[in-house]
Amino acid sequence: MNSKLMPLPEAVSRFIKPGLSLVLGAALEACIPFAVGHEIIRQRIRNLTLIGPISDVLFDMLIGGGAVGRIMAAWVGNVSTGLGYNFKRAVEQGRPCPLEVRDHSNLSIATALDAGGMGLPFGLTRSLFGTDIQSRNQDLEPISCPFTGQALLAVRALNPDLAVIHAQRADRDGNTHLWGNLGIVPEAVRASRQVIVTVEEIVPGEVIRSDPNRTLIPGFKVAAVIELPWGAHPSPVQGYYGHDDDFYVDYARQTKDPAEAEAWFEAWVYSRPDHAAYLERLGRKRLDKLRVSRPAPAATVDYGY
């Protein structure tokens, strides 16, 4: 069987096409696939639908890079400073392009993906009663329980074209280990038609098979796997590196003004031909400060019988 291992530019050009729907940032504030987002912007892919829970600045970057036509999310912004200025300009001014926003809560996004992964037309929740989200989202519909008559809210299932996930390690066939904060990664993987995985390291298959409970993404769901150390920067990856707070604060300051935002994209994305050039701009000293300094390994698990 051919390996699914490939370079980032090839994976993006082959599998991410204009008009597709993508789940990104499914692990909430950790393991966000920023390097994939930068490559999408470089390749000038347009009219994507982004799906996610609390959506970090990767969504804001993709919006500012002109890649997005629709957002289905609970929140879009900067976890360190609050507001995402590219998102704000797109909603209020249609710059750099008009943006459709379909509001969700974290739970309703998770419910929609969970239903999609089970092949159901909808999932159920009650948590949005008393909010105005249900009145502004055509994918939410009040219904009555056929057994009790209780009022429920049906959430239309989601089956995204692609889930883009960053994780700690995988083998060449895409079988992937992920640990730490999982967010809604399992739901996103099950619901999506295909998966692209970027990882800190590629390991032999026997490493993956030695800990099957940590294999949250099976290789048969994966279209491409990319070895991409620091592929989630500036977000953290459990066991590898921490959150780059300064990057988030600098990004907010430099994207508040439209002209300065264009300069930011030129400096950090367009003038960087690949991920290696992005890391070169960050510098080894900065990266070393983010590395895990206090290891906390899990206890050994014995799968013997």
Side-chain angles (χ1 to χ4, degrees):
M1 184 171 63
N2 293 331
S3 168
K4 296 177 181 178
L5 187 63
M6 65 183 68
L8 176 61
E10 178 185 351
V12 169
S13 65
R14 285 180 59 180
F15 296 107
I16 301 181
K17 304 295 184 182
L20 293 188
S21 57
L22 276 62
V23 179
L24 296 155
L28 304 178
E29 293 183 26
C31 290
I32 300 170
F34 276 96
V36 175
H38 296 164
E39 187 60 29
I40 289 171
I41 295 169
R42 284 190 206 100
Q43 295 192 19
R44 301 185 187 276
I45 299 170
R46 297 291 185 257
N47 197 33
L48 297 174
T49 294
L50 302 187
I51 300 167
I54 291 177
S55 304
D56 209 333
V57 294
L58 178 56
F59 275 33
D60 192 69
M61 288 178 187
L62 287 163
I63 293 166
V68 187
R70 176 192 292 176
I71 292 283
M72 303 176 73
W75 181 81
V76 179
N78 186 322
V79 295
S80 292
T81 65
L83 192 61
Y85 293 107
N86 289 307
F87 173 65
K88 184 175 186 291
R89 279 189 289 272
V91 171
E92 295 179 352
Q93 305 171 24
R95 299 172 58 187
C97 52
L99 182 67
E100 177 189 343
V101 179
R102 192 162 296 182
D103 284 334
H104 274 272
S105 70
N106 281 334
L107 180 59
S108 65
I109 280 285
T111 300
L113 292 169
D114 195 34
M118 291 190 289
L120 299 174
F122 61 86
L124 294 171
T125 185
R126 291 180 295 178
S127 69
L128 293 180
F129 286 130
T131 76
D132 64 351
I133 292 178
Q134 61 173 312
S135 66
R136 295 183 284 108
N137 187 335
Q138 63 193 45
D139 294 330
L140 306 173
E141 185 68 31
I143 64 172
S144 296
C145 174
F147 303 107
T148 66
Q150 184 181 42
L152 299 169
L153 196 65
V155 184
R156 189 193 303 270
L158 278 171
N159 291 107
D161 295 307
L162 192 67
V164 182
I165 307 294
H166 188 82
Q168 284 90 345
R169 63 192 181 205
D171 64 21
R172 298 174 66 88
D173 296 317
N175 299 294
T176 304
H177 277 178
L178 175 66
W179 62 90
N181 184 19
L182 304 180
I184 58 171
V185 170
E187 292 86 349
V189 168
R190 288 193 297 267
S192 298
R193 296 179 177 90
Q194 288 186 309
V195 180
I196 288 178
V197 173
T198 60
V199 291
E200 293 297 314
E201 56 181 326
I202 296 294
V203 297
E206 53 263 31
V207 174
I208 301 298
R209 292 191 294 273
S210 73
D211 196 353
N213 285 2
R214 217 178 301 277
T215 309
L216 297 188
I217 304 175
F220 68 82
K221 287 284 292 188
V222 176
V225 58
I226 304 107
E227 187 172 36
L228 209 62
W230 299 95
H233 179 275
S235 70
V237 175
Q238 195 83 47
Y240 287 78
Y241 47 89
H243 190 273
D244 192 340
D245 300 311
D246 291 341
F247 192 97
Y248 281 84
V249 173
D250 290 343
Y251 174 82
R253 187 182 69 253
Q254 295 173 32
T255 56
K256 186 173 184 178
D257 177 80
E260 291 188 28
E262 291 181 11
W264 186 94
F265 280 103
E266 180 60 32
W268 285 99
V269 182
Y270 294 122
S271 68
R272 306 286 104 187
D274 53 29
H275 184 59
Y278 170 83
L279 296 182
E280 182 180 358
R281 178 176 172 82
L282 285 170
R284 182 53 52 192
K285 184 178 180 180
R286 181 173 188 168
L287 296 177
D288 285 343
K289 287 183 178 180
L290 296 172
R291 293 184 192 277
V292 167
S293 59
R294 292 181 293 175
T300 300
V301 174
D302 190 345
Y303 284 101
Y305 56 88

